Amino acid sequence: MPLSAFLSIEQLPGAAHPAVFRVRFDCGCGSEHDGLLTHDELDWAPLGLGAGAYLNLMTSRLDSVGDELGELAAGHIKRGEWPWSFFCFPEERARPVFPSSFALLTATDGPVGLAVRCPSCRRLSLNLVSQPHVDVPFHNDREIGVVEHLFAEDSFATLDEFRAELWSSSFDARRLALA
Ligand SMILES: [Zn+2]
Ligand SMILES: [Zn+2]
């Protein structure tokens, strides 16, 4: 299932090792379902990596990686190319990210609206990206849409609220260069 079929990703309180996430997704049958994914399944499986890899998102650096880390992925990351990235509006900068930080998603035939909880500052940003940006690791849009607004922690209580906010917002373009 592509990541863009996900609608919401929420870490369940309690379980930390491994962290467990409740994921709501658009199913092929036409309805929405919930599923549970571990941190590894959510963040590493799309890269074809096993457990034990460790990338430091706080410093945007590869601190240490397990033996399982694929050479291809490691090569990308050493060149400063990240599997996923987003634009943190509160910090006015692009940041690397993993799917477990995608709080809410809504895919259309065209772009994907994305509410991301920044792994560094913990605040929410709304981005508008292409589907490959979400679904294809290491495909990062050069330019994305950003809502220029500071959102409160509890801004989007429901998916409907998120969609309403997204489609009534205006987006400003930002370059996604991480360097
Ligand atoms: Zn179904
Ligand atoms: Zn941030």
Side-chain angles (χ1 to χ4, degrees):
M1 173 180 311
L3 282 166
S4 62
F6 290 11
L7 299 168
S8 63
I9 299 173
E10 176 193 4
Q11 184 169 358
L12 295 180
H17 299 288
V20 176
F21 296 82
R22 182 193 293 123
V23 174
R24 172 157 284 248
F25 59 94
D26 240 337
C27 179
C29 77
S31 43
E32 298 176 0
H33 300 301
D34 286 325
L36 295 179
L37 291 177
T38 65
H39 184 254
D40 282 345
E41 289 169 329
L42 190 55
D43 285 353
W44 299 118
L47 298 174
L49 305 182
Y54 178 63
L55 308 173
N56 191 334
L57 290 181
M58 301 297 287
T59 59
S60 306
R61 282 211 315 268
L62 187 68
D63 278 1
S64 66
V65 295
D67 293 337
E68 304 88 345
L69 182 55
E71 274 178 39
L72 191 66
H76 276 297
I77 291 163
K78 282 175 183 150
R79 287 193 299 274
E81 298 161 13
W82 287 79
W84 294 276
S85 60
F86 82 109
F87 195 91
C88 177
F89 174 68
E91 298 184 282
E92 267 293 332
R93 57 168 291 179
R95 280 198 174 276
V97 74
F98 280 90
S100 56
S101 293
F102 297 166
L104 295 158
L105 300 90
T106 188
T108 62
D109 287 339
V112 180
L114 203 56
V116 185
R117 186 173 306 282
C118 180
S120 179
C121 73
R122 309 300 303 161
R123 287 175 290 183
L124 285 170
S125 292
L126 243 66
N127 286 183
L128 196 65
V129 302
S130 72
Q131 283 194 11
H133 180 90
V134 174
D135 289 337
V136 183
F138 299 105
H139 173 105
N140 289 286
D141 293 347
R142 293 167 63 118
E143 214 172 71
I144 62 159
V146 176
V147 177
E148 295 188 307
H149 181 76
L150 290 170
F151 293 100
E153 179 79 12
D154 56 354
S155 284
F156 316 115
T158 66
L159 261 169
D160 285 341
E161 274 180 44
F162 169 62
R163 289 187 181 120
E165 176 67 42
L166 192 69
W167 302 127
S168 67
S169 295
S170 62
F171 291 86
D172 286 271
R174 291 288 196 290
R175 292 187 61 80
L176 257 191
L178 286 167

